[in-house]
Amino acid sequence: MKKTKAKNTSEQPAGFSRREFIEAGGAALAAMGLQGAMPGRVGAQTAAPKPGRLVIPLNQEWLYSAHRAANDVQPGFDESHFERVTLPHANIALPWHSFDEKSYQFVSIYRQHFTLPAEARGRRVFVDFEGAMTASTVWINGQRLGDYRGGYTPFSFELTPHINWNGQNLLAVELDSTERADMPPFGGQIDYLTFGGIYREVQLRCVNTPYIEQMAARASDVLTPKPQLDVICKIADLPAQTNGMTLVAELREGDRILQTVRQPLSSREKRHEDGVYTLTLSNIAPIQLWGLDAPHLYTVRAYILKGDETLDVEERRTGFREARFTEHGFELNGQVVKLRGLNRHQTFPWVGGAMPARVQWRDAYILRKELKCNIVRTSHYPQSRHFLDACDELGLLVLEEIPGWNHIGDKPWQDLAVDNVRRMVQRDRHHPAIVLWGVRINESQDNHDFYTLTNFE
């Protein structure tokens, strides 16, 4: 899926306040998201082409009901009374203020019909959810795939065994937006609202085998004459015979390739564990550092090649910077920086957290350019990737936290919190703006065994 660039929103007047911005555009967004998109065929949207994999945004023309009915996850169910909605979506339209938080705490149902293009045939097909509040159970063509508990971290299900390759498919999501004590941040009291809905984007991801399951970029020695970058890839579905297969990593500045390194997939000397390879780009000076006033970004791209054929490709944006907390204070690239920041909740009038990329970007702009902050705390949960992308682009440092407030639940609850840490870091570790990870439950009592696990992750 394409990432929103700064130029998409910088045309907003500098004096345009967050409230004015929301009032001007929020009502229209709410109408589109809550009352339905323009009538049309319910199906997969235009695919974003990527060599070796097919990524299909699945945000348009969902069918939604705030009321459950028998067999509403099955094909053939009468959905004529459902609303047609667009993601990001809030499960109920809310007033500007003075509403009962119970108003959005109910179980709803989403349905999406799609057909796969011919080029998807022969690939593994996954559905990727960036965030749905709070507990999701997913079906494809009437087959229950499983559930995911948590509203702030991404999750995926594989659809391949149940796909109808020759016709229409039905994706159904039961969404429980109640406050359930069996998952963070619930179980006690929290000082923020957890608005319901599939409030972040969804996509279909069709991949060849093998494919890049995870990717990270880690810079080091950035203040020396010989900076380097480790590109870490976890490869899934590695066959027994990998002859002719090569993993390639390259560093790009715009369209210019600065350096390339290759590693045969059959070689195990740089594999940390099954399927994990580390490719090191060395001596890549001169580089431009990422900083508060000059947040220079590079693109890291990884390929799996079989001969001349590209089996898969994945990429991340990153930057070269050194962030350290020392006895002198916080240092960025060897210079002491006085931190000045604010907390940020992903809360908007009328639609809760269901806002698209351009509005997420605008919040980062206000913090950095209008309020003159140099750091933001994502209180108290991982926030939209679009907001973090904007922080990278604008030079706004980030403390990113896991979900929770004041309360630590039982062992299964703690296991979910540890999983939240893992998913948060795996999603966001390439962001140069992130200089702190909040891996403790905010304002909670100490718990040595639990916090040993969250710090280890």
Side-chain angles (χ1 to χ4, degrees), residues 310-360:
T310 300
L311 297 181
D312 197 25
V313 59
E314 186 63 294
E315 66 180 36
R316 298 286 186 272
R317 273 193 328 180
T318 194
F320 292 84
R321 59 100 179 108
E322 182 182 85
R324 300 171 61 235
F325 287 86
T326 73
E327 60 183 8
H328 306 293
F330 174 73
E331 293 184 3
L332 182 64
N333 299 329
Q335 300 295 316
V336 175
V337 174
K338 184 175 182 179
L339 298 175
R340 183 177 60 255
L342 291 170
N343 297 331
R344 188 250 186 182
H345 277 290
Q346 58 179 23
T347 300
F348 300 90
W350 302 301
V351 293
M355 276 291 179
R358 62 187 178 276
V359 189
Q360 303 285 348

Side-chain angles (χ1 to χ4, degrees), residues 184-199:
F186 307 119
Q189 292 184 335
I190 54 176
D191 69 342
Y192 52 96
L193 300 176
T194 56
F195 306 98
I198 304 180
Y199 73 104

Side-chain angles (χ1 to χ4, degrees), residues 211-220 228-236 247-250 261 263 265 270-281 300-304 314-316 318 425-426 429-430:
Y211 65 96
I212 301 170
E213 184 177 27
Q214 296 175 24
M215 178 182 173
R218 183 175 60 207
S220 59
Q228 69 178 37
L229 185 75
D230 289 335
V231 181
I232 305 164
C233 295
K234 183 175 182 180
I235 311 300
L247 180 63
V248 181
E250 61 185 28
V261 63
Q263 176 74 31
L265 284 181
K270 292 191 176 182
R271 190 185 297 186
H272 299 313
E273 58 185 68
D274 188 31
V276 176
Y277 291 80
T278 299
L279 281 68
T280 301
L281 298 131
V300 182
R301 188 171 294 176
Y303 304 85
I304 299 176
E314 186 63 294
E315 66 180 36
R316 298 286 186 272
T318 194
V425 174
Q426 286 178 350
R429 55 191 165 181
H430 62 283

Side-chain angles (χ1 to χ4, degrees), residues 339-342 373-377 396-399 435-436:
L339 298 175
R340 183 177 60 255
L342 291 170
C373 293
N374 58 19
I375 190 167
V376 60
R377 177 185 179 215
L396 180 62
L397 301 171
V398 177
L399 158 57
V435 295
L436 283 167

Side-chain angles (χ1 to χ4, degrees), residues 4 10-11 21 58 74 81 120 130 134 154 169 175 246 256 354 379 436:
T4 300
S10 60
E11 296 175 358
F21 183 68
L58 207 63
Q74 298 297 323
H81 61 288
E130 295 195 26
T134 304
N169 294 275
L175 189 62
T246 305
R256 187 164 62 102
S379 53
L436 283 167

